[in-house]
Amino acid sequence: MKQTTENRQDKINRIVIVGGGTAGWMTAATLIKVLGKNYCDIRLIESDQIGTVSVGEATIPQIKLFNQILGIDENDFIKKTQGSFKLGIEFIDWHKKGSSYVHPFGDYGTTMNAIQFHHYWLKGQQQGKVPDLEGYSLAAVAARQGKFMRPQNMGNSPLSQINYAFHFDATLYADYLRDFAVERGVNRTEGKVTDVSLRSSDGFIDSVLLETGERVEGDLFVDCTGFKALLIEGAMKTGFVDWSDVLPCDTAVAMPCKAKDTEVLYPYTQAKAQKAGWIWRIPLQHRVGNGYVYPSKFVSDEEAVKTLTEQMEGEPIGEPNFLRWKTGIRKKGWNKNCVAIGLSAGFVEPLESTGLHLIQSSIAKLMSLFPHQGFDQVDIDAYNSQSRNELEYIRDFIVLHYKATDRDDSEFWRYCKEMKVSKRLQAKMDVYQANGRIFRQDNELFTEVSWLAVMHGQGIIPNGYHPLVDVLSEEELARRLAHIHSVIQKSAETMPMQKDFIAQYCKALHST
Ligand SMILES: Cc1cc2nc3c(=O)[nH]c(=O)nc-3n(C[C@H](O)[C@H](O)[C@H](O)COP(=O)(O)OP(=O)(O)OC[C@H]3O[C@@H](n4cnc5c(N)ncnc54)[C@H](O)[C@@H]3O)c2cc1C
C-alpha cells in the first residue's frame, strides 16, 4: 500500500515481534514500558520447538541504564537470574603465552592538568620506576582480589566511581523479561512462523503465518529470530556484509559446569586464548558458564569439546551447545517495515560481551526514530548508518585483541598478526604507538580507557608520551604516582568480598 499524505502520520497500531530470545524479550519489555498498553497492540511470537541460543551471560555497564528504564530492582533481578557482578574481563595468553591483563570498567589513576593519567605513568614506566598500569585501576585491583561493592557517596574517592556490569543465566534473564513484559500487557503467542507474506505493491511485510494456520498481521515487524533472520533475510533478502576476514572465529561450543566450592567469587569474565580462538569463563551464583569460540577452519568440533572439557573446573552440566555464525552485519538492520534486533541484525564474536548491549542500543535507536505509518526513508537511513558505524567501531576494538599480539605459535595466530585491518584501526594503533595518544571517535562504545587497557595489555609500547607531562618535576611525578597507587590499594582493602556482598544483598533464592 503506497502511503498518501493523509495517512502517512497515522500511528502504528500493531507491532509484531517474532522471536523470544533475549532480543525479543528485551524489545518487548521496553516497548510495553515506554508505549504503555494502550498505544498499540504488541505481540511476541516464539517457538519452544526452536528454542534460543541460551548464551549471552556477560554484560557491560551500559545495561544498568536499560534496567533503569524498565525500573528493575537490581537486587531482585540478580537474585532471580543467579547473577553476579562484573568489574571487567581478564585476558589470559592473548599478548603472549603466560600473559594476563584486566580490561577494567573504570579509570586508571586520574587526569592531571587535562592530560590523561597514562601519559604520566608512561614516563614513570620508561624510567623503570613504577608498578604495572593495572595497579592504578580500582576495578582491576578489586577484581583480582574477588572484591565488590557498589559506588559509595565519597566525594572524589575512587570508591565513588565504581562502575560495574553483571553476569547472569541467559535463560533466567529471558524468563525474567518475559514475566515483566507479559504482566504489563504484551501478548505472547507460542507458535512457529512458517511463512512471511510481503505486500506486492511495495514489498513491506503484511503478515506472518503460523504453523497452526493463524495469520498474524502487523504494521511494524521486529525480527528477533536470531541467526535464522527469518524476516529480514529469509523473506526480504536484505543482504549481509561479511567480516570473517578479520574475525575468523565462526563457531562456539558452550557447556556450563558446576562451580568449585571456594571462598572467592571473582567479579570478572575470563577470556583465555587457545591455539586458535579462546575460552570464556563466566562465574554465576549457581554454576560457571564456559564456552570455546573457535575458527572451524582450524579446530574440529570434537577437538573443541575436548579442549573445553579439559579446562573446565567442575563437572559439566548438560550437553555441548554448538553455535555457528557468519561474522558481519545485515546490509540494512531496518528494511521497510521490518527492524532486525539481536543476532538477526549481525554478530561479532562475544569477546567483549557486546551482544546484549547492541540489542539495547538498537532498541534505543528504534525508540528515537519510532515510525508512523509513513515510514520515512530518511529515518530508516539514519538508523542504518548509526547501526553500521556503531558495529564497525566495536568490530575494530575486538580485532585489536587478535592483531596486536606477539603470538606466532600457530597458523591461526600467524594469520591474525598479518591480517590487514581497517584503516581506522591501524591509525588508532599507530597514533598510540607513537606517543601514547588515544581518541574516542563518533561517540563509539569503547572509551579511551578501554582502548588503553587493550593496547597496553596486548603489548603495544608507545615510543613516547605527551610532552606536557614534563611540566611536572621528576620528584613531583614520582610522588603523585606513588600517592595514586596507594589510594587505589587502600580503597580496594576497604571493599568486601563479592561473595559476602551477594550474601548480604542479593543471594539467589534457589541454588539451581
Ligand atoms: C557463542 C555466543 C556467546 C555469546 N556471549 C555473549 C555474552 O557473553 N554477552 C552478550 O552480551 N552477548 C553474548 N552473545 C550474544 C547474545 O547471546 C545474543 O545477542 C542474545 O542471546 C540474543 O539472541 P537472539 O534473541 O537474537 O536470538 P535467539 O536466542 O536465537 O532467539 C531467537 C528466537 O527466535 C525464535 N524463532 C526462530 N525461528 C522462529 C520461527 N520460525 N517461528 C517462531 N519463532 C522463531 C526462537 O524460538 C527464539 O525464541 C553471545 C552469542 C553467542 C553466539
Side-chain angles (χ1 to χ4, degrees), residues 19-23 47 50-53 55-56 58 191 193 224-226 230 343 347 350 355-356:
T22 311
S47 164
I50 296 175
T52 66
V53 286
V55 284
V193 171
C224 295
T225 60
L230 199 67
L343 298 172
F347 183 60
L356 302 190

Side-chain angles (χ1 to χ4, degrees), residues 4 46 107 198 223 227 244 254 265 272 306 333 340 393 446 494:
T4 66
E46 63 179 330
D107 290 342
L198 306 183
D223 184 344
F227 289 131
S244 44
L265 179 63
K272 189 168 192 299
K306 186 168 175 285
Y393 274 109
F446 289 102
T494 68

Side-chain angles (χ1 to χ4, degrees), residues 193-398:
V193 171
T194 51
D195 192 33
V196 180
S197 124
L198 306 183
R199 290 194 306 234
S200 55
S201 56
D202 55 11
F204 277 48
I205 299 179
D206 172 62
S207 61
V208 293
L209 180 69
L210 304 188
E211 208 171 30
T212 53
E214 187 189 354
R215 186 166 286 284
V216 181
E217 296 183 335
D219 302 320
L220 172 67
F221 287 82
V222 188
D223 184 344
C224 295
T225 60
F227 289 131
K228 286 200 168 63
L230 199 67
L231 281 64
I232 195 89
E233 197 59 56
M236 302 185 97
K237 312 279 178 249
T238 301
F240 191 79
V241 185
D242 188 336
W243 290 337
S244 44
D245 56 333
V246 282
L247 289 172
C249 292
D250 58 1
T251 314
V253 56
M255 209 180 344
C257 74
K258 290 193 172 158
K260 260 202 282 191
D261 190 18
T262 62
E263 281 313 298
V264 190
L265 179 63
Y266 286 102
Y268 56 86
T269 310
Q270 251 176 9
K272 189 168 192 299
Q274 305 295 311
K275 188 184 76 182
W278 57 281
I279 284 180
W280 79 72
R281 178 184 183 276
I282 300 177
L284 306 179
Q285 289 191 39
H286 63 324
R287 62 161 169 81
V288 174
N290 309 287
Y292 182 7
V293 174
Y294 56 95
S296 57
K297 192 176 152 195
F298 295 109
V299 182
S300 70
D301 289 350
E302 297 71 42
E303 209 182 332
V305 173
K306 186 168 175 285
T307 308
L308 181 62
T309 31
E310 274 168 7
Q311 295 186 36
M312 264 166 22
E313 67 200 57
E315 199 187 312
I317 304 170
E319 292 301 306
N321 173 16
F322 286 96
L323 300 134
R324 301 176 204 282
W325 63 84
K326 197 193 277 181
T327 300
I329 185 169
R330 201 68 50 203
K331 277 189 182 151
K332 296 175 199 163
W334 184 341
N335 189 0
K336 302 181 196 268
N337 63 339
C338 176
V339 183
I341 296 187
L343 298 172
S344 56
F347 183 60
V348 292
E349 57 159 85
L351 187 58
E352 285 282 352
S353 319
T354 43
L356 302 190
H357 172 74
L358 284 161
I359 295 170
Q360 180 184 341
S361 165
S362 299
I363 298 169
K365 284 195 282 288
L366 175 60
M367 297 318 295
S368 79
L369 292 159
F370 196 78
H372 41 58
Q373 296 272 0
F375 283 97
D376 269 305
Q377 190 58 43
V378 285
D379 289 342
I380 296 176
D381 292 345
Y383 179 97
N384 287 329
S385 78
Q386 287 170 22
S387 305
R388 174 79 179 252
N389 213 24
E390 179 179 35
L391 198 56
E392 281 181 354
Y393 274 109
I394 292 174
R395 175 204 61 196
D396 283 354
F397 186 61
I398 294 172

